[in-house]
Amino acid sequence: MTLDSPLDRFSLRIRPRSIRALCLTFLVVLFLSVASVTAQSQASTSLKKELVWSLPGNEIASPQFSADGNFIVLVSRVHWPDAEEAESLPEAFFNKLEARKHREPRFADPVVRLIDLKGNPVCDVRYGTNPSIAADNKSIVFSRQRKPITGLRPLAATLAGNDIQLFDCEKKEARTIAEPQTGYFDNPIFLPDGYSIAYTVNEAVNGEMGGAVGVEQADVSGARKVSLFAKETTPAIRCPTTGTSKMTGFQTMMCSETTKLSSSFPTLVHNIVMAGDHLLVLQARPIPSAGDMYLASQYELSLVKVFPNREEVFSMGQADMSKLWDASLQPISNGKVMMFSDHWRAFSLETRNWLPETALQNANSRGIYSPNGKYYLAVEPVKEEPSHFSLYRAGDGQRVFTSPTMASVFAMRWNRDSTRFAVVALPKSVSGSAYREVLTVYALP
């Protein structure tokens, strides 16, 4: 018999019964240790449900806290089943929807709602999307849905013409802030100067799907409008400098007619966020290659400040189209933002450099950090349809809360002082006429 290691030799001197006893003792100690750590971590962050809010048969989108955290603005829309869910429902169900649509052409159009933390309605506006609340909680800015969209998907064609509206909740009056000549406006944000609003300029960028290609600023009076980030396009085939090379007739046509389908690609406004007094844009500049349609194969990602002045801040390098949608930007405290490429990293707006990675790496692109940077929420699983969310400590990656299993998790938002967060989710086994998404507000201790 060959003894290959000290462990083998040691085991020969112990009786089988002693080995079993040692193993049992080790397992008991390990179990108690894990249970103790789990209990301590769960106890350290016990969450309280402050609000559970829903509307029967409705979807919920775009939840945002007010600056003081005492109100939430959101969008509700009567659910019209689509895709796989629609295939599982009888034809009679859709006949009822169509009959109601005939009577009420806008019954399933999006409604902007302002509620308090007890779920009481404060203000309703018909019809619009992506609202924000003024600092005094008295008015809401939103993208007005101009065309009836009941039973339709939110594509560039159905959103075309959407303008920016400001609604006074006390006077129950709305006024137009900005109207598009083409495409549509979206994602309005109150700027810290107190008298203007920024919003995105949108158009079809991926087939029928819309996306942001510019940013503008308008006074709340609607009297003045300026471009903060003008639309830029990159030709699919670059036109050469005169006399430097020869091109075929087809190549000349393609490089000159940059407004035609697939002959040019717009720079995308991938994220637009307020970080302190600065309005930041994560831009994606296209790098086309042969055969690209609608979207380029590669994009150059960079961080740009567009308010109060225009300034390039940082280049994140290239990303292929498949990874483009994971790229993200989130502001946290003290002049820092979190940016995602392969994983979340902290970036200093002051030094314009990546900060040292002192926290455990977070590779979940569906994460959302608290404004103080101490926690992050993560929708999980990462590469499949989300079924739950978890709360983690950012510093050590310790999970301190996990939600029950759900059918889907749609949205998560923190309030400004990082004491509360809101989650929009669909409970399990909910469909058809019983469909009901739920907004839950959790409070940290």
Side-chain angles (χ1 to χ4, degrees):
M1 185 176 189
T2 303
L3 302 180
D4 296 321
S5 70
L7 178 59
D8 292 326
R9 291 191 293 271
F10 177 72
S11 65
L12 289 177
R13 296 197 297 268
I14 302 178
R15 295 179 180 177
R17 184 176 298 177
S18 300
I19 294 175
R20 288 196 296 271
L22 282 173
C23 290
L24 180 60
T25 302
F26 172 78
L27 289 174
V28 170
V29 171
L30 179 62
F31 173 81
L32 291 175
S33 299
V34 170
S36 175
V37 170
T38 302
Q40 289 174 6
S41 64
Q42 293 285 356
S44 64
T45 311
S46 55
L47 302 182
K48 174 186 175 183
K49 289 184 180 180
E50 287 197 336
L51 172 66
V52 179
W53 186 92
S54 65
L55 284 175
N58 272 251
E59 303 167 2
I60 301 171
S62 307
Q64 297 283 348
F65 283 94
S66 60
D68 60 12
N70 293 325
F71 299 91
I72 294 177
V73 68
L74 53 86
V75 175
S76 67
R77 185 183 181 190
V78 173
H79 178 63
W80 193 295
D82 197 3
E84 292 182 8
E85 182 190 0
E87 296 174 1
S88 65
L89 295 171
E91 186 176 349
F93 178 85
F94 292 96
N95 290 339
K96 290 181 180 179
L97 288 178
E98 291 290 349
R100 185 176 177 186
K101 180 180 177 180
H102 182 73
R103 298 190 308 270
E104 308 170 62
R106 306 202 72 167
F107 85 90
D109 278 19
V111 177
V112 176
R113 301 180 187 274
L114 181 66
I115 61 175
D116 62 23
L117 291 186
K118 293 183 179 179
N120 299 315
V122 177
C123 185
D124 290 355
V125 191
R126 300 172 185 270
Y127 299 95
T129 58
N130 292 322
S132 293
I133 316 172
D136 62 4
N137 300 329
K138 295 180 179 179
S139 57
I140 302 170
V141 66
F142 62 98
S143 175
R144 176 171 56 158
Q145 179 59 47
R146 298 293 298 271
K147 300 177 181 179
I149 199 173
T150 292
L152 302 176
R153 295 175 178 175
L155 304 174
T158 54
L159 302 178
N162 285 4
D163 55 20
I164 301 301
Q165 294 275 304
L166 182 70
F167 186 79
D168 188 315
C169 288
E170 293 184 337
K171 297 179 180 179
K172 308 299 181 186
E173 295 176 352
R175 66 172 178 268
T176 302
I177 302 300
E179 292 183 274
Q181 293 183 343
T182 60
Y184 62 100
F185 292 160
D186 206 355
N187 307 302
I189 300 175
F190 284 99
L191 293 175
D193 60 14
Y195 59 84
S196 62
I197 292 164
Y199 51 89
T200 58
V201 178
N202 296 54
E203 61 182 36
V205 296
N206 184 11
E208 293 297 317
M209 300 298 294
V213 296
V215 181
E216 292 182 348
Q217 173 188 357
D219 292 349
V220 292
S221 64
R224 180 174 174 268
K225 184 171 70 174
V226 297
S227 175
L228 299 178
F229 187 92
K231 178 185 174 181
E232 302 175 7
T233 58
T234 301
I237 301 175
R238 294 185 176 277
C239 292
T241 305
T242 304
T244 59
S245 65
K246 293 183 179 181
M247 300 181 73
T248 67
F250 174 76
Q251 289 174 326
T252 301
M253 178 188 71
M254 291 297 290
C255 82
S256 60
E257 298 184 10
T258 57
T259 59
K260 289 197 172 182
L261 177 66
S262 78
S263 64
S264 65
F265 301 88
T267 293
L268 303 178
V269 176
H270 200 56
N271 283 139
I272 174 171
V273 298
M274 287 300 309
D277 293 333
H278 303 296
L279 183 63
L280 301 177
V281 163
L282 184 60
Q283 75 167 13
R285 193 185 303 275
I287 308 172
S289 62
D292 288 348
M293 286 288 290
Y294 302 125
L295 294 172
S297 301
Q298 298 281 327
Y299 284 83
E300 178 76 24
L301 293 172
S302 58
L303 182 63
V304 181
K305 181 172 66 175
V306 298
F307 179 88
N309 57 295
R310 172 72 182 267
E311 189 177 3
E312 292 246 358
V313 178
F314 182 73
S315 174
M316 294 177 64
Q318 291 187 23
D320 61 48
M321 186 181 62
S322 63
K323 294 183 178 179
L324 177 64
W325 311 119
D326 284 340
S328 191
L329 169 68
Q330 296 176 22
I332 55 176
S333 60
N334 302 323
K336 293 182 278 189
V337 295
M338 300 296 297
M339 290 193 285
F340 186 90
S341 52
D342 293 322
H343 63 279
W344 289 101
R345 294 184 65 185
F347 180 85
S348 171
L349 296 174
E350 297 176 359
T351 65
R352 303 191 177 190
N353 282 306
W354 295 112
L355 293 168
E357 296 193 67
T358 56
L360 194 69
Q361 280 192 5
N362 173 18
N364 188 330
S365 61
R366 296 178 176 184
I368 176 170
Y369 281 78
S370 60
N372 63 11
K374 293 182 179 180
Y375 294 94
Y376 68 86
L377 294 162
V379 179
E380 298 166 330
V382 178
K383 297 185 185 246
E384 300 171 16
E385 194 66 25
S387 62
H388 68 277
F389 72 89
S390 297
L391 176 68
Y392 292 86
R393 287 199 302 259
D396 57 10
Q398 176 66 51
R399 180 165 52 192
V400 295
F401 176 81
T402 298
S403 74
T405 301
M406 305 166 179
S408 290
V409 181
F410 297 114
M412 301 185 297
R413 292 290 185 274
W414 286 92
N415 71 340
R416 188 169 294 186
D417 64 7
S418 305
T419 59
R420 298 185 180 103
F421 62 86
V423 176
V424 175
L426 178 67
K428 293 183 68 175
S429 304
V430 178
S431 64
S433 58
Y435 191 94
R436 181 189 297 213
E437 294 179 15
V438 178
L439 169 77
T440 306
V441 175
Y442 296 85
L444 273 67

